[in-house]
Amino acid sequence: MNSNKPWESQKKGYQEALSYIHARRQGLITSFKTPWPKVNDAGVNGFEWQSLTVIGGRPGTGKTLIKDQIVREGFEINNGQTIRVLEFQFEMVARASKVREFSSTLKKSYKYVCSADENNKLTVDDFKKLHDHAKKMVDIDKFPVDIVENPCTIETFKKIVTDYMETYAQIINDKKVYVNTVVTVDHSNLFKKSKSEGGKTDMLYNLGEALTNLKKRFPIAFIVLSQLKREVESPERNEDGKYGNYILETDLLGGDALFQHADLVVGVNRPAKKFIKYYGPDRYIIDDDSVLVWHFLKCRNGDTRMSFFKGLFDQMKVLEMNTPGVHVKSVRTS
C-alpha cells in the first residue's frame, strides 16, 4: 500500500478529538486565560493552544496596551501551566514597552515614570519598586519572555518561530514535547515584503498561511495586532447613532488575508476619539474618553458579540465595564 497517499481515514481525527476533550475534562489541558472573563468566554475559556487571535484597531485604541496586559498578567493568571512567550515587537522598542509596564506597575503615568514633569519626578522609593519589579521579571525560569525587535520577512518569521519551538522542546518518555508558547506580533503590516510579494496584501496572505501552518504544527497561541482601513475615519461613519460606528470584518487591513485564518477576531474602537456620544443604532451612551468597544467579529468556537471596556491609559491597563445605558430619542407627538 502506498504510504505517501495525501489522505487518511477520519479515524485519526476522532481519536485525537476524544483524547483532547478527555484531557480537558481532567484538567490536563487548559486554554491560555486572559485578564478579562468576557474575552475568555468569547474563546474556549481563554485562547486555545494552536489558535490565532487577531486584534484590529486604529491608532490610539489601545491594541498594544491590550497585548501587553495579556502577556504581563498571563503567567500569574495561568499559574500551573508551563508557558513561554515570544514577542515580535516591530512597532515599539523593548525599552518603551518596559517603561509602559513600569507605568502599570506603579499605576502612574508614563510621563511620571520618565520624570517628564520637573515638579513631579519619579521618587527614589518608586524607582526602587521598579528596580525590584524588573529583578523579579527577569527570572527566566518564572517569566520566560523573549523579544524579536527587527522587522523580518514571513519566511524569516517562520524560521524564527520554528527554531524557537525546537530550542525549548523537551524529551519526555522518549517523545519530543513542545512547550505551550504565546507568540505576539505587533503589527502585522510591519513585516518586510519579500521580492516575490507584490504588495502588503500579498504579504498578509502569506502571513495568514504561515500562521495556520505553524499553529497546526506547534502548541502556539498567536496574538496578532492589525491596523484597520482608513475608511473607518470617514465623517459619515462617525455620526452619532449610525451603524457605521461599528467595526466590521471588512474594516480589517488586508480583509480576508488574516480573517479567514483566525479563530478569534476583535475590532477595537474608542468612540470618544471621534466625538461620538451615542454609539451605533442602539445609541450606547459614551460618557468619557476611556470607553473602549470590542467587537468580536469572529469567534470560531463561540458567539460574536460586542463588549465594553475601560482603558486606563495613564496606568497602562484595561478593565471590563458594564454595558452603558442607551440614549432614547424623544418622539414628537401630534
Side-chain angles (χ1 to χ4, degrees):
M1 182 178 293
N2 182 8
S3 61
N4 295 321
K5 61 184 183 298
W7 61 84
E8 59 186 350
S9 169
Q10 64 176 342
K11 180 179 179 180
K12 180 183 177 183
Y14 280 122
Q15 290 173 333
E16 291 178 349
L18 288 170
S19 176
Y20 178 72
I21 61 177
H22 181 63
R24 287 199 67 112
R25 182 172 178 271
Q26 293 184 311
L28 300 176
I29 295 177
T30 57
S31 299
F32 177 79
K33 291 185 179 179
T34 77
W36 310 285
K38 290 181 181 179
V39 179
N40 296 333
D41 184 62
V44 183
N45 196 23
F47 299 157
E48 281 189 289
W49 301 107
Q50 296 185 284
S51 71
L52 166 60
T53 298
V54 177
I55 302 174
R58 292 294 293 159
T61 53
K63 299 184 301 298
T64 301
L65 172 59
I66 292 165
K67 181 268 297 179
D68 286 346
Q69 188 171 343
I70 291 173
V71 172
R72 184 174 66 245
E73 300 181 13
F75 291 99
E76 182 177 351
I77 294 171
N78 296 279
N79 187 30
Q81 291 196 57
T82 300
I83 298 169
R84 297 195 68 88
V85 175
L86 177 62
E87 297 206 72
F88 287 81
Q89 288 188 358
F90 297 153
E91 186 180 56
M92 188 180 301
V93 297
R95 180 203 67 213
S97 175
K98 296 312 176 188
V99 173
R100 289 161 64 101
E101 181 177 329
F102 287 154
S103 174
S104 176
T105 300
L106 292 178
K107 295 183 172 56
K108 294 186 179 180
S109 71
Y110 188 101
K111 287 186 175 181
Y112 170 76
V113 173
C114 293
S115 297
D117 185 348
E118 289 291 334
N119 298 316
N120 189 31
K121 287 190 173 184
L122 181 71
T123 66
V124 173
D125 285 345
D126 281 344
F127 180 77
K128 185 179 183 306
K129 291 177 184 176
L130 299 182
H131 186 275
D132 291 343
H133 174 77
K135 187 176 179 180
K136 178 184 74 172
M137 295 302 294
V138 296
D139 184 338
I140 59 174
D141 292 325
K142 292 183 178 179
F143 305 101
V145 180
D146 297 288
I147 297 172
V148 177
E149 285 193 274
N150 295 324
C152 59
T153 64
I154 303 303
E155 284 301 315
T156 302
F157 168 76
K158 289 194 295 185
K159 184 178 186 309
I160 292 172
V161 173
T162 299
D163 289 348
Y164 191 86
M165 298 303 293
E166 295 291 351
T167 297
Y168 295 104
Q170 303 171 0
I171 303 299
I172 301 176
N173 297 328
D174 297 324
K175 182 180 179 181
K176 182 185 287 187
V177 177
Y178 295 105
V179 176
N180 290 344
T181 302
V182 177
V183 176
T184 71
V185 177
D186 187 2
H187 283 72
S188 61
N189 60 321
L190 294 180
F191 277 101
K192 295 170 101 176
K193 289 189 302 177
S194 69
K195 293 181 180 179
S196 63
E197 293 167 341
K200 287 289 185 181
T201 300
D202 287 347
M203 181 270 289
L204 289 172
Y205 270 107
N206 288 339
L207 174 61
E209 291 180 3
L211 292 167
T212 292
N213 290 332
L214 287 167
K215 73 177 182 176
K216 284 182 176 180
R217 183 177 175 188
F218 300 116
I220 297 175
F222 284 105
I223 303 172
V224 176
L225 306 188
S226 176
Q227 292 285 4
L228 300 181
K229 297 175 183 176
R230 293 187 179 276
E231 284 83 345
V232 299
E233 305 281 1
S234 62
E236 59 270 19
R237 291 196 61 178
N238 291 292
E239 297 177 13
D240 278 342
K242 299 293 185 181
Y243 180 73
N245 297 162
Y246 294 164
I247 303 299
L248 310 174
E249 63 183 68
T250 52
D251 291 326
L252 197 67
L253 192 66
D256 289 342
L258 285 178
F259 193 89
Q260 65 184 351
H261 292 277
D263 300 281
L264 184 68
V265 179
V266 183
V268 182
N269 208 355
R270 191 177 174 187
K273 280 183 68 69
K274 298 302 173 185
F275 306 103
I276 298 173
K277 295 181 179 178
Y278 308 123
Y279 191 70
D282 287 316
R283 300 177 67 83
Y284 294 106
I285 299 171
I286 306 300
D287 55 10
D288 65 64
D289 184 52
S290 68
V291 175
L292 301 176
V293 189
W294 292 19
H295 295 267
F296 291 85
L297 304 173
K298 180 180 180 180
C299 302
R300 193 185 296 277
N301 298 304
D303 300 319
T304 56
R305 65 193 71 184
M306 180 169 59
S307 298
F308 291 82
F309 295 78
K310 188 172 286 287
L312 306 181
F313 293 93
D314 59 335
Q315 300 177 22
M316 299 298 166
K317 193 176 182 68
V318 173
L319 303 176
E320 289 186 351
M321 62 174 283
N322 294 328
T323 301
V326 298
H327 175 263
V328 181
K329 284 184 175 181
S330 60
V331 179
R332 180 177 297 178
T333 57
S334 57

